[in-house]
Amino acid sequence: MINHDEAAAVLPLTLAWVSRHLEVGERIVRTEALHGGITAEMRRLTISMRDGSTRELVLRSFVDPFYVGHAEDWLHREADALSLLMGTGVPAPELVAVDPTAVHCEYPSLLMTHLAGRTVLDDEGLETRVPLLARQLVAIHAVRPAERPREYVALTTAETVVTPKGADAAAWAAAIDVIRRPAPAYEGRFLHRDFQPGNVLFDLPPRRAAGARITGVVDWAATSWGPADLDVAHCCTNLALLHGPAWGLRFAQAYEEAGGVLAAAASERLYWQVRDALACSEEVQVVAQPWREAGRTELTTRAVEERLDAYVSALMDALG
């Protein structure tokens, strides 16, 4: 008998598929919904082993019709990335099985190992976590795949940017002009493409001081090839919205202090930061909701819009 609540129930075809990928004598004894994701449903599966102990797996399923059309590409990329990262020292889950076109499951799905740790989105201890995030991203960018993933895609255009109500109109107009320019030349790197606090797991000591460490980096579905600046800019934007604009500006510095290499010219570095910040303007509500569900209830859509406005203004001030 599987112990699960209705929200965490695994559908029959998927349950049978998962069971076929377990060891002889193993069975699923519990399922639990995991929260915080945007594009897919995530479940933690507790597996009873032959010796009486348990282990855990994670099931990702794309059930929302809006995202199912992208699932095949995303799941192939995630499966390839997880296979590539084995043995690199980057703490990523191990791939167990993948069904990218729902041949066996009700929905496109991926099964992987479960990593210890948890996401940390609150302000306390941030000065300790930021250098750890920076060092981890440098390590990701040091991966040299035998076969490059797909080139990065930047979907935001000058025409699709959504300027927040009451924003600094002059700053936003100048920012939009920045991304009208051709993208700077760059040296390609292996990118996570959604590296931000919501996709990093930490093991924290009781007082969240010395001893904090990263135990995992998850959600590799957008893995790409492109400029290191793009991954750094994405984390900068997320830190700015979660913790205030100063932390967005600080992360790029922390990345370089950790040995990472960004574009040589300040204007080129800021191009990528501005581009990512403007990309976020189109999905503020989508980004803010899982943060509130994770406990940051003060981060209403309006509050995040105000932080985004302040961050874009700070970037344009830095651009001078």
Side-chain angles (χ1 to χ4, degrees), residues 9-31:
V10 180
L11 295 173
L13 291 177
T14 304
L15 188 63
W17 175 75
V18 170
S19 297
R20 289 198 295 273
H21 292 282
L22 301 180
E23 299 294 329
V24 175
E26 292 187 335
R27 61 190 181 91
I28 304 169
V29 295
R30 180 177 176 81
T31 70

Side-chain angles (χ1 to χ4, degrees), residues 3-303:
N3 179 9
H4 56 212
D5 57 51
E6 186 175 345
V10 180
L11 295 173
L13 291 177
T14 304
L15 188 63
W17 175 75
V18 170
S19 297
R20 289 198 295 273
H21 292 282
L22 301 180
E23 299 294 329
V24 175
E26 292 187 335
R27 61 190 181 91
I28 304 169
V29 295
R30 180 177 176 81
T31 70
E32 177 189 357
L34 300 175
H35 302 287
I38 295 173
T39 58
E41 285 188 359
M42 305 288 290
R43 294 179 176 86
R44 178 164 52 208
L45 313 179
T46 302
I47 312 300
S48 173
M49 301 193 292
R50 292 177 65 181
D51 64 2
S53 61
T54 60
R55 65 187 180 104
E56 293 179 322
L57 299 175
V58 172
L59 174 69
R60 178 201 294 275
S61 298
F62 286 85
V63 303
D64 187 326
F66 183 80
Y67 296 113
V68 165
H70 301 283
E72 181 177 1
D73 174 51
W74 287 344
L75 289 178
H76 274 303
R77 278 202 276 174
E78 181 152 32
D80 289 346
L82 298 185
S83 299
L84 165 71
L85 291 166
M86 287 185 65
T88 63
V90 174
E94 293 182 15
L95 176 68
V96 176
V98 63
D99 183 16
T101 56
V103 172
H104 306 287
C105 305
E106 282 85 356
Y107 299 102
S109 298
L110 183 142
L111 186 66
M112 58 191 147
T113 58
H114 176 265
L115 298 177
R118 62 184 183 87
T119 56
V120 184
L121 303 180
D122 51 316
D123 292 334
E124 184 184 355
L126 185 59
E127 64 283 350
T128 299
R129 298 195 305 276
V130 162
L132 295 178
L133 289 168
R135 287 199 290 273
Q136 184 61 73
L137 190 53
V138 170
I140 291 170
H141 292 163
V143 172
R144 295 293 180 264
E147 185 176 342
R148 293 180 181 179
R150 189 184 74 175
E151 197 79 8
Y152 82 92
V153 176
L155 299 177
T156 299
T157 68
E159 289 67 41
T160 58
V161 172
V162 180
T163 304
K165 182 180 178 181
D168 183 332
W172 279 75
I176 291 170
D177 282 342
V178 167
I179 68 167
R180 292 185 195 277
R181 305 171 195 163
Y186 61 86
E187 182 179 352
R189 289 283 183 270
F190 177 77
L191 306 182
H192 181 282
R193 200 62 180 93
D194 190 17
F195 185 86
Q196 42 92 3
N199 284 329
V200 179
L201 306 177
F202 282 90
D203 177 32
L204 297 178
R207 295 196 172 189
R208 302 190 179 188
R213 65 186 183 94
I214 289 175
T215 57
V217 181
V218 299
D219 196 354
W220 296 86
T223 303
S224 307
W225 187 261
D229 287 82
L230 193 54
D231 258 359
V232 172
H234 189 62
C235 195
C236 286
T237 300
N238 278 267
L239 288 169
L241 302 188
L242 277 166
H243 308 293
W247 285 106
L249 300 173
R250 173 73 183 93
F251 183 73
Q253 180 184 344
Y255 178 83
E256 291 187 295
E257 290 169 352
V261 178
L262 296 175
S267 60
E268 293 179 355
R269 295 195 295 272
L270 281 162
Y271 170 90
W272 298 108
Q273 288 180 286
V274 169
R275 173 168 281 287
D276 191 85
L278 295 185
C280 190
S281 75
E282 300 176 35
E283 50 187 18
V284 171
Q285 185 172 356
V286 174
V287 168
Q289 182 175 341
W291 289 346
R292 290 195 298 275
E293 292 173 354
R296 294 294 304 273
T297 55
E298 80 281 12
L299 292 179
T300 62
T301 298
R302 183 61 188 143

